[in-house]
Amino acid sequence: MPEWFFRGGIAMWPLLVCSIAGVAIILERIWALQRRRVISPVLAAAIERRPATAEQTDALRVLSETDETVLGDLVQAVFAHASLPKTENVEMLQALARQIVGRMERGLTTLSLIAELGPLLGLLGTVIGMVQLFEDVAKKGLGEPAMISRGIYQALTATMTGLSIAIPALIAYMYLRRRIEVLVLELERHMDELLTRLYRDPQ
């Protein structure tokens, strides 16, 4: 560990845990939310293909059976319940979509917590450092400017570290939330198209 880390005081340790957890969540979510892992380009193109014939719809069903993306799971679910009325199929699909969105958002609550905790832990470290500084001043007086400067430096190190963790965590949280929203909107569009194809006649 660098020397400045230990100068930040006891608050640096929970900040270290927050930084490790934040980096792990960000990297895992960026990997999991790659578009090709959520929406298969081949399957999406098959859904949007015009004109939509019965043969193409059957080929789409077969294609979805080997697709491991989120879109593939949704398409398989729609075909598995194709014998149901459209309203019931839609309700089933909505329930499944809520579960999938929950999985896509996994870790984001913790990332948001890290973004909020970072400055608070940094402030706590600063307060602890200032308390120690004033205690030293009370014991030794103001005759040592170097001691005061060193104490202030140590106190502010925790705040700087907390902000350095919180700002990237907040940026990553907002980016990932927006990415999920975009992917969900595209999934909804593809599902609307598929349901329209399957239920051309009123149910």
Side-chain angles (χ1 to χ4, degrees), residues 96-123:
L96 177 60
R98 285 192 292 270
Q99 297 176 19
I100 289 175
V101 171
R103 293 201 300 266
M104 293 172 69
E105 293 178 343
R106 184 179 60 211
L108 292 193
T109 300
T110 303
L111 190 60
S112 174
L113 180 62
I114 290 171
E116 295 177 5
L117 274 180
L120 294 177
L121 289 172
L123 180 60

Side-chain angles (χ1 to χ4, degrees), residues 85-203:
K86 183 177 181 179
T87 54
E88 294 184 18
N89 204 339
V90 169
E91 290 176 359
M92 177 282 308
L93 186 61
Q94 290 174 342
L96 177 60
R98 285 192 292 270
Q99 297 176 19
I100 289 175
V101 171
R103 293 201 300 266
M104 293 172 69
E105 293 178 343
R106 184 179 60 211
L108 292 193
T109 300
T110 303
L111 190 60
S112 174
L113 180 62
I114 290 171
E116 295 177 5
L117 274 180
L120 294 177
L121 289 172
L123 180 60
L124 175 62
T126 297
V127 171
I128 293 173
M130 295 303 293
V131 169
Q132 293 175 345
L133 171 62
F134 283 115
E135 183 180 358
D136 292 338
V137 169
K139 292 179 179 178
K140 302 179 182 179
L142 297 173
E144 300 183 26
M147 178 192 69
I148 298 174
S149 298
R150 184 169 59 254
I152 295 175
Y153 166 80
Q154 294 176 0
L156 293 179
T157 296
T159 297
M160 178 192 69
T161 305
L163 292 174
S164 299
I165 293 171
I167 292 173
L170 180 59
I171 293 173
Y173 172 80
M174 298 303 296
Y175 166 77
L176 293 171
R177 289 287 303 181
R178 179 56 183 166
R179 183 164 185 79
I180 290 173
E181 290 175 3
V182 170
L183 291 171
V184 167
L185 287 174
E186 186 171 352
L187 288 170
E188 288 180 356
R189 178 169 61 82
H190 291 315
M191 289 300 98
D192 287 342
E193 174 61 30
L194 178 58
L195 288 168
T196 300
R197 178 188 295 192
L198 289 178
Y199 297 93
R200 293 187 182 278
D201 299 324
Q203 298 295 315

Side-chain angles (χ1 to χ4, degrees), residues 19-34:
S19 66
I20 294 173
V23 170
I25 292 171
I26 292 169
L27 293 179
E28 190 275 334
R29 285 295 86 193
I30 289 176
W31 179 84
L33 294 175
Q34 295 178 73

